[in-house]
Amino acid sequence: MKEKKPNKSVEAICPDLQSLLDSSKMIQDSIEWWDNNISELVDELDRLEELPWSPEIEKQIDYNQQKLRKFLKRGEMEKKQVDDLEKRLNAFFISKTIN
């Protein structure tokens, strides 16, 4: 009967790959958070816009539109992080094919 070899963690085998995986997970979590918040804001704006006009409703719409603009700016940052991760992944795989 063969003895099982202990599983080695990705980090032990290839710390660079583990770093890329950790970055990927962090970016994924951040994008999911961003997406959920954008969806909630858009839903709230849709709900408010269906209500009869009032100064208070208009104020809430304006406030939520400002929040939406901030989230959209953050979306640009999220896109940049994905682009940077893609470059790091490409460099990692190129380095592995060279070696």
Side-chain angles (χ1 to χ4, degrees), residues 32-46 68 71:
E32 285 175 5
W33 176 89
W34 177 83
D35 187 46
N36 290 335
N37 280 281
I38 288 284
S39 293
E40 288 175 14
L41 266 174
V42 168
D43 289 346
E44 178 63 8
L45 280 166
D46 287 345
L68 185 59
F71 277 113

Side-chain angles (χ1 to χ4, degrees), residues 38-81:
I38 288 284
S39 293
E40 288 175 14
L41 266 174
V42 168
D43 289 346
E44 178 63 8
L45 280 166
D46 287 345
R47 186 190 72 79
L48 289 169
E49 289 175 348
E50 289 179 6
L51 297 174
W53 185 89
S54 75
E56 183 59 36
I57 298 294
E58 190 67 27
K59 197 178 207 179
Q60 289 176 359
I61 289 172
D62 184 53
Y63 173 75
N64 283 313
Q65 286 174 338
Q66 288 176 20
K67 282 177 64 175
L68 185 59
R69 283 191 283 276
K70 288 179 185 177
F71 277 113
L72 291 174
K73 285 180 185 177
R74 180 173 173 154
E76 291 298 318
M77 183 183 73
E78 300 290 354
K79 184 181 179 310
K80 184 181 179 327
Q81 287 181 337

Side-chain angles (χ1 to χ4, degrees), residues 3-18:
E3 266 186 50
K4 284 188 173 182
K5 293 181 183 178
N7 290 336
K8 292 183 180 179
S9 70
V10 172
E11 187 169 23
I13 297 169
C14 187
D16 293 338
L17 179 58
Q18 184 62 51

Side-chain angles (χ1 to χ4, degrees), residues 22-37 74 78:
D22 292 344
S23 293
S24 175
K25 176 67 174 140
M26 185 176 63
I27 291 169
Q28 177 185 355
D29 290 346
S30 182
I31 289 172
E32 285 175 5
W33 176 89
W34 177 83
D35 187 46
N36 290 335
N37 280 281
R74 180 173 173 154
E78 300 290 354

